[in-house]
């Protein structure tokens, strides 16, 4: 079975890293990896290939940054050429970025079956670019790999029948596999004390592109930093937004801002933080995987089970005092109870995905 896997943005390198290992270990799988070039800085792309042993992509389309339409359109055109040349049996896509949508659309129009890892997540907020991407990708897909029961229910509500295997979350598999490689000495190099800092990440469009929200978040983090130091690996989008608003110098003074870090450093930071404060999808879950409580700087989340379980609390970041109060409350709160061990698939998600893909290819006519 020939699989074209399409990745392009940071979280997709991490998800593909762990699935690729499993897929390529199975007999009869030939995977062709395509990088759209959506993320291109060394610390947003290449570092993951180096650190996580991801095979070099067969194609790098070098699309780079642009508005949604231009970026997605350029990807669509370039991906169609790749798919016409490669003629795969399956196209495998991850998550909800513009790279995901372009790949799903290119494949579906060529009648190539699409498998979507992380299908069925919904924020029910169509102002998020990711919500558009994931809805359209799901509806262009043939196999929908749902990470959670909530995702299965969302897809069933949208009329998907038995094409929704509940496989768990490949990011949990990644956290276990790569987590075992993270030695404690990493933390010293990162300049933080175990259990004595807040780890923050911010990059979601609604927060970086809304001056009020970005100001509320960064002034709240600055106020917290008097009591607990805040370490924040800065996404390039947020770096530019802080510069634009004239907030960068103040943020540098009050917070420990770093460049984006590699995944192994990120695990070390998540594992040893007192609290994670984030608007990242992956970050919310990884906080829990490493049993660190989380405050999510968003109006809603797709990973609802962690809010129910008490490991994650949501705060709409429109005012400094509400963000600061939520962080302070989370810092004071007792450790939440352990949820069901089967949540997120118990670490066997990649194997289930490989089983389904190979089963589907055996069942299909030659
Ligand atoms: C994208 C995804 C988002 C995902 C995030 C992961 C979409 C619509 N959004 O958001 O779902 O959570 O990736 O990090 O696909 N930039 C650089 N260097 C890079 C990459 C980006 O400087 O290597 C800067 C550019 O100014 C660019 C901006 O960051 O315009 C935004 O990049 P883009 O890929 O468009 O969106 P993200 O915010 O990264
Ligand atoms: N991550 C990383 N270095 C960083 C910030 C994040 O390796 O400096 C990892 C993080 O551990 C997680 C993934 O990137 O695995 C999350 O990606 P991001 O927050 O960019 O996107 P999202 O998950 O919100 O789509």
């Amino acid at each position: 079975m020939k699989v074209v896997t399409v990745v392009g943005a940071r979280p997709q390198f991490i998800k593909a890293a762990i699935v690729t290992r499993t897929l390529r270990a199975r007999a009869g799988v030939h995977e062709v990896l395509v990088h759209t070039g959506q993320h291109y800085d060394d610390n947003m792309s290449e570092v993951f290939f180096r650190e996580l042993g991801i095979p070099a992509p067969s194609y790098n389309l070098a699309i780079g940054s642009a508005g949604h339409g231009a970026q997605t359109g350029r990807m669509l055109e370039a991906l169609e050429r790749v798919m016409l040349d490669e003629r795969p049996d399956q196209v495998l896509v991850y998550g909800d970025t513009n790279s995901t949508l372009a790949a799903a659309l290119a494949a579906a129009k060529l009648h190539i079956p699409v498998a979507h890892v992380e299908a069925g997540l919904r924020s029910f907020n169509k102002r998020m670019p990711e919500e558009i991407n994931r809805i359209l990708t799901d509806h262009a897909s043939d196999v929908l790999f749902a990470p959670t029961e909530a995702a299965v229910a969302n897809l069933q509500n949208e009329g998907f029948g038995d094409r929704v295997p509940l496989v768990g979350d490949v990011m949990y598999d990644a956290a276990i596999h790569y987590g075992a490689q993270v030695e404690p000495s990493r933390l010293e190099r990162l300049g933080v004390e175990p259990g004595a800092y807040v780890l923050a990440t911010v990059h979601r469009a609604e927060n970086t592109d809304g001056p009020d929200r970005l100001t509320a978040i960064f002034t709240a983090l600055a106020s917290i930093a008097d009591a607990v130091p805040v370490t924040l690996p800065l996404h390039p989008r947020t770096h530019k937004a802080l510069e634009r608003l004239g907030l960068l110098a103040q943020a540098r003074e009050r917070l420990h801002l770093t460049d984006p870090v590699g995944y192994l450093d990120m695990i070390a930071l998540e594992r040893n933080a007192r609290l994670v404060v984030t608007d990242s999808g992956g970050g919310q879950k990884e906080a829990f995987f490493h049993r660190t409580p989380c405050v999510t700087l968003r109006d809603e989340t797709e990973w609802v089970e962690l809010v129910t379980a008490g490991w994650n609390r949501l705060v709409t970041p429109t005012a400094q005092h509400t963000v600061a109060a939520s962080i302070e409350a989370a810092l004071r709160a007792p450790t939440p109870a352990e949820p069901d061990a089967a949540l997120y698939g118990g670490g066997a998600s990649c194997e289930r995905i490989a089983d389904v893909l190979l089963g589907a290819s055996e069942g299909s006519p030659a």
Side-chain angles (χ1 to χ4, degrees):
M1 180 182 56
K2 186 176 192 178
V3 181
V4 162
T5 294
V6 180
V7 292
R10 173 166 70 187
Q12 294 167 332
F13 308 135
I14 295 157
K15 292 165 199 173
I18 191 76
V19 176
T20 289
R21 298 174 64 84
T22 310
L23 266 189
R24 293 193 185 202
R26 296 288 183 102
V29 175
H30 171 51
E31 189 190 33
V32 176
L33 192 59
V34 181
H35 187 330
T36 63
Q38 177 170 349
H39 286 175
Y40 44 84
D41 291 346
D42 184 86
N43 59 27
M44 293 294 289
S45 173
E46 191 54 37
V47 64
F48 301 101
F49 286 80
R50 281 196 304 273
E51 255 191 357
L52 309 183
I54 310 170
S58 303
Y59 297 84
N60 189 328
L61 307 177
I63 302 295
S65 303
H68 288 288
Q71 187 182 55
T72 313
R74 286 174 201 151
M75 287 175 188
L76 186 58
E77 186 177 3
L79 285 165
E80 183 175 65
R81 275 198 300 274
V82 171
M83 289 175 200
L84 284 170
D85 287 347
E86 293 289 343
R87 291 269 161 211
D89 303 300
Q90 275 284 347
V91 166
L92 185 58
V93 299
Y94 293 90
D96 50 21
T97 72
N98 289 347
S99 298
T100 316
L101 174 62
L105 199 50
K109 291 283 180 88
L110 295 172
H111 307 150
I112 302 168
V114 179
H116 183 202
V117 175
E118 235 179 51
L121 296 177
R122 297 290 181 267
S123 64
F124 302 100
N125 173 4
K126 282 200 180 159
R127 292 182 56 81
M128 281 181 82
E130 294 84 359
E131 183 76 352
I132 307 293
N133 289 342
R134 50 173 95 102
I135 292 172
L136 296 178
T137 299
D138 282 341
H139 284 263
S141 293
D142 300 272
V143 186
L144 296 102
F145 291 119
T148 59
E149 281 174 11
V152 171
N154 290 336
L155 289 169
Q156 283 169 348
N157 287 339
E158 289 176 31
F160 290 90
D162 56 3
R163 281 183 294 155
V164 189
L166 174 59
V167 293
D169 187 354
V170 299
M171 289 194 97
Y172 185 41
D173 294 25
I176 295 171
H177 180 85
Y178 294 109
Q181 300 175 15
V182 176
E183 61 302 336
S185 60
R186 257 177 202 276
L187 212 58
E188 279 166 40
R189 274 192 289 103
L190 292 161
V192 290
E193 290 288 320
Y197 62 94
V198 167
L199 171 66
T201 74
V202 180
H203 77 281
R204 194 76 35 228
E206 76 229 25
N207 289 335
T208 57
D209 299 357
D212 294 346
R213 292 170 79 108
L214 199 66
T215 305
I217 291 168
F218 275 84
T219 51
L221 290 173
S223 73
I224 292 300
D226 282 333
V228 191
V230 177
T231 288
L232 192 154
L234 196 57
H235 190 288
R237 175 186 202 111
T238 317
H239 191 279
K240 284 172 190 157
L242 288 172
E243 256 176 350
R244 218 170 33 239
L245 288 178
L247 293 174
L248 188 58
Q250 190 198 344
R252 278 202 196 291
E253 237 167 65
R254 308 282 297 142
L255 313 174
H256 179 216
L257 296 188
T258 71
D259 286 338
V261 297
Y263 181 59
L264 301 182
D265 280 352
M266 198 60 185
I267 291 179
L269 287 171
E270 289 167 341
R271 205 179 254 173
N272 291 286
R274 248 181 94 180
L275 181 72
V276 168
V277 178
T278 191
D279 60 10
S280 161
Q284 291 169 57
K285 286 174 299 161
E286 285 172 359
F288 166 70
F289 298 157
H290 303 297
R291 296 301 188 269
T292 302
C294 181
V295 169
T296 294
L297 303 162
R298 286 187 44 197
D299 304 356
E300 71 287 297
T301 179
E302 302 77 21
W303 306 99
V304 288
E305 48 291 320
L306 290 179
V307 177
T308 310
W311 283 89
N312 190 10
R313 58 179 79 202
L314 290 174
V315 59
T316 294
T318 42
Q320 177 195 336
H321 67 276
T322 47
V323 175
S326 189
I327 296 173
E328 280 157 6
L331 284 168
R332 281 194 308 268
T335 306
E338 270 301 294
D340 183 347
L343 192 67
Y344 300 117
S349 196
C350 295
E351 295 294 345
R352 292 190 194 107
I353 286 173
D355 288 346
V356 173
L357 283 180
L358 284 156
S361 108
E362 277 159 20
S364 64

